Amino acid sequence: MTIKAIAFDAYGTLLDVYSVGALAEKLFPGKGAAIAITWRDKQIEYTRLRTMCDRFVDFWQVTGDALDYACDAQGVDLTADARTALMAEYEELTAFAENHAALTRLQDAGMPMAVLTNGSAGMIAAALKAAKLAGFFDHVLSVDSVQKFKTAPEVYQMGPDAFGCAASEILFVSSNCWDICGATWFGYHTIWLNRYDQPMERLGVEPSARGKTLTDVADYLLG
Amino acid sequence: MTIKAIAFDAYGTLLDVYSVGALAEKLFPGKGAAIAITWRDKQIEYTRLRTMCDRFVDFWQVTGDALDYACDAQGVDLTADARTALMAEYEELTAFAENHAALTRLQDAGMPMAVLTNGSAGMIAAALKAAKLAGFFDHVLSVDSVQKFKTAPEVYQMGPDAFGCAASEILFVSSNCWDICGATWFGYHTIWLNRYDQPMERLGVEPSARGKTLTDVADYLLG
């Protein structure tokens, strides 16, 4: 294989969204885990429904809508202060522990790198800055540019367009298996980081490679 | 309002999918509910991912794939016999108790009626026959014809095409709120049958009307 560049998913792959659930549990004891799960599920569901129906609004709006649904579903009263605090978590996520070292190895090897995310331009810029990751990336590609969310082909096309090479020459990295399936269908070389030991999605498509953390990405490319 | 025809969603709206979960619980005691929930969630998720990426396979295939995932996620061994039995449930669903009377009232009033479903042509024909509902419908519209799943506009377009009138003159009926949102965006007059007291989806769109059972549809149109 010839890999000329890397495109990383952001949420769950570079950025740990665990803190969101932790704050939800602190605010709504006993219901935080359920709220966090529904919040994430609805966030993703809304991106897909809006994309299929050509009703794009940005990820910040979708994330807030999903939070409102999750709290309604759990029967909790979401105050304006709690809403602001939970949404703010999305701009202050921490990087996974191994990321800095792994990204440094890849950068030192001269590998061009991008983030390719459902996040809005504002959200992802704030989150990368807060996590001290911004300096690693040549491109930060937000779906804002194409007004569709993953797994629309127009989103994945941003990678080849930014790097000026074929999708098959770009390693696409995500911990979200559905994202890996979409990227593999599109034509990327893919590595699924199965951080939480989840089953492979049954979509008739397999990633090019598998790993668990970003260290596995550096090992895969650099040996 | 002038309603000239009605289009019904099938699974969960006309046909009760409860029996699927009941058999899952019988086969996998203590894990049946979790399997049934994941099975349904993945079934819907796969329809959307395949539609966004233009990788259509029919609903029978998607339903089997989702079952395989659900059993894997719960760590249970799905034998060939158990798989056959669970899949067969989808062709032997029962109608909700009130459906026959409500559909008879609408038919007697001369209202043209259709089923508009993600189901494959074979699945939906078998299920309507088993539930003794087939005689009520002038059209049975399967996504097989357009090779995309809901909420793609091409799916909803089948209604106006079949009835020869505008979407705004057709009442679209579904118990699936996301389906109602897609249909409302498309332009249908919609009624959401909230059978299970779920929160309204936060997608910035509201159904034209709400109800709980098919009786409410007949009351809404016939008074």
Side-chain angles (χ1 to χ4, degrees), chain A residues 42 45-53 55 65-66 68-69 72-73 149-153 156 178 182 185-186 198-204, chain B residues 42 45-53 55 65-66 68-69 72-73 149-153 156 178 182 185-186 198-204:
Chain A
K42 285 288 162 184
E45 183 178 8
Y46 290 172
T47 63
R48 295 173 186 168
L49 291 169
R50 287 185 170 280
T51 298
M52 279 196 287
C53 294
R55 299 276 172 165
D65 290 341
D68 291 338
Y69 180 96
D72 191 352
F149 292 103
K150 297 174 179 178
T151 57
Y156 294 118
W178 56 268
W185 274 334
F186 184 81
Q198 294 173 314
M200 180 68 205
E201 300 291 359
R202 276 14 183 235
L203 286 163
Chain B
K42 285 288 162 184
E45 181 177 10
Y46 290 173
T47 63
R48 295 172 185 169
L49 291 169
R50 286 185 172 281
T51 298
M52 278 196 289
C53 294
R55 299 276 173 165
D65 290 343
D68 291 339
Y69 180 96
D72 191 352
F149 292 102
K150 296 174 180 178
T151 55
Y156 294 118
W178 54 268
W185 275 333
F186 183 80
Q198 294 173 313
M200 181 68 206
E201 299 290 0
R202 284 353 191 244
L203 286 163

Side-chain angles (χ1 to χ4, degrees), chain B:
Chain B
M1 76 189 171
T2 305
I3 297 298
K4 296 182 176 172
I6 314 177
F8 294 89
D9 172 53
Y11 302 106
T13 302
L14 294 174
L15 302 166
D16 188 352
V17 296
Y18 170 78
S19 63
V20 173
L23 178 59
E25 182 60 31
K26 194 173 161 188
L27 290 168
F28 308 113
K31 291 187 170 179
I35 288 171
I37 289 168
T38 303
W39 187 6
R40 175 66 177 169
D41 286 351
K42 285 288 162 184
Q43 180 193 48
I44 299 301
E45 181 177 10
Y46 290 173
T47 63
R48 295 172 185 169
L49 291 169
R50 286 185 172 281
T51 298
M52 278 196 289
C53 294
D54 205 13
R55 299 276 173 165
F56 184 84
V57 295
D58 77 16
F59 200 59
W60 183 257
Q61 171 78 41
V62 164
T63 301
D65 290 343
L67 174 58
D68 291 339
Y69 180 96
C71 289
D72 191 352
Q74 285 295 319
V76 305
D77 182 33
L78 180 67
T79 65
D81 283 353
R83 192 179 197 278
T84 299
L86 284 164
M87 290 294 289
E89 283 296 310
Y90 263 91
E91 299 190 318
E92 299 163 1
L93 301 169
T94 53
F96 288 98
E98 82 282 3
N99 286 13
H100 198 279
L103 291 169
T104 298
R105 284 173 63 195
L106 292 163
Q107 191 173 49
D108 288 349
M111 190 63 73
M113 296 191 281
V115 175
L116 201 167
T117 176
N118 269 344
S120 68
M123 286 174 82
I124 190 64
L128 291 176
K129 189 180 172 193
K132 300 187 171 51
L133 294 179
F136 290 110
F137 301 105
D138 303 281
H139 308 282
V140 177
L141 307 171
S142 158
V143 298
D144 286 1
S145 303
V146 296
Q147 304 275 297
K148 293 174 190 285
F149 292 102
K150 296 174 180 178
T151 55
E154 293 86 344
V155 175
Y156 294 118
Q157 183 61 43
M158 290 193 290
D161 288 351
F163 289 122
C165 63
S168 59
E169 297 172 317
I170 302 171
L171 178 65
F172 186 88
V173 182
S174 181
S175 64
N176 296 298
C177 191
W178 54 268
D179 190 13
I180 286 293
C181 292
T184 307
W185 275 333
F186 183 80
Y188 282 96
H189 196 97
T190 54
I191 182 166
W192 176 33
L193 300 188
N194 189 4
R195 291 189 184 276
Y196 305 108
D197 288 323
Q198 294 173 313
M200 181 68 206
E201 299 290 0
R202 284 353 191 244
L203 286 163
V205 61
E206 291 284 333
S208 315
R210 300 187 188 206
K212 197 164 175 70
T213 73
L214 234 57
T215 304
D216 297 325
V217 177
D219 290 347
Y220 180 67
L221 288 182
L222 308 176

